[in-house]
Amino acid sequence: MFTERKELIKAYKARDPAARSDLEIVLLYPGLRAVRRHRRANWCYRHRLFFLARAISQRTRRVTGIEIPPAAKIGRRLVIDHGMGVVIGETAEIGDDVLLYQGVTLGGTGKDQGKRHPTIGDNVLVGAGAKVLGPFKVGDNARIAANAVVLKEVPPDSTAVGVPARIVRLAGQRVNFAGEIDQVSVTDPVSIDIAALREQLEVLEQYLASRPCYTNEKGEYVCETV
């Protein structure tokens, strides 16, 4: 238990520049408190103390604003930055060295039975407000940009951006550490598509402008073929 606490403190210090001391992290950081309490709830759940497990989980939700059901599986050194509004599904699985920001949802689509929440690999970053919905895998070293809505599997070492999310490579370079990732300088595939459509529209407008157009005897507006 003490080893895990030391690992968590070290992880928060590495990823949160506002962290000043070990005592501040232990006593005041809701993400660390939520993970520690989840360990207790999960222990109760695995020993069939279901009511007690749920009671611990719900109290943690009220105190921290972070909802982690007792059955969820969480790896080591999970950092939940700020944490308010984070919801982790009951059948979700989270690997080691994962970083979640506020407003993240690891949820289901409401149509699946059994395993219905995502599996998050090691060293994954999920940006603020992102939604990962469904029983698929987010690969190791992947990142999900803020406010993305991910509805299908994310390969390792890639980035998911947009609504619904698309996969974008990081200049062909592998992501080695979630805490070093820039969440702002990412390419939005939707904006690229819109720019392409604008270019096509300009070409069509120029083409139409070059054609002689007039109103015929029937009152129809027609353009001659060039």
Side-chain angles (χ1 to χ4, degrees), residues 98-137:
V98 172
L99 175 58
L100 306 180
Y101 283 91
Q102 68 273 15
V104 166
T105 299
L106 305 181
T109 61
K111 301 178 182 179
D112 301 298
Q113 300 293 327
K115 174 69 168 137
R116 56 191 183 278
H117 301 106
T119 297
I120 309 298
D122 297 337
N123 197 37
V124 172
L125 179 147
V126 186
K131 316 300 178 188
V132 186
L133 308 176
F136 52 80
K137 175 75 180 290

Side-chain angles (χ1 to χ4, degrees), residues 141-210:
N141 304 306
R143 69 164 175 168
I144 297 171
N147 290 318
V149 178
V150 183
L151 301 175
K152 59 184 179 180
E153 185 169 344
V154 178
D157 307 308
S158 62
T159 300
V161 178
V163 182
R166 302 185 187 182
I167 304 303
V168 179
R169 289 288 178 184
L170 271 175
Q173 296 181 357
R174 178 174 178 172
V175 178
N176 291 319
F177 179 52
E180 297 174 353
I181 293 176
D182 177 9
Q183 297 189 80
V184 178
S185 303
V186 292
T187 303
D188 184 357
V190 176
S191 65
I192 293 176
D193 290 344
I194 292 175
L197 289 173
R198 286 177 177 172
E199 291 179 1
Q200 294 178 15
L201 182 60
E202 289 178 1
V203 172
L204 288 173
E205 289 177 343
Q206 293 173 4
Y207 173 69
L208 291 174
S210 66

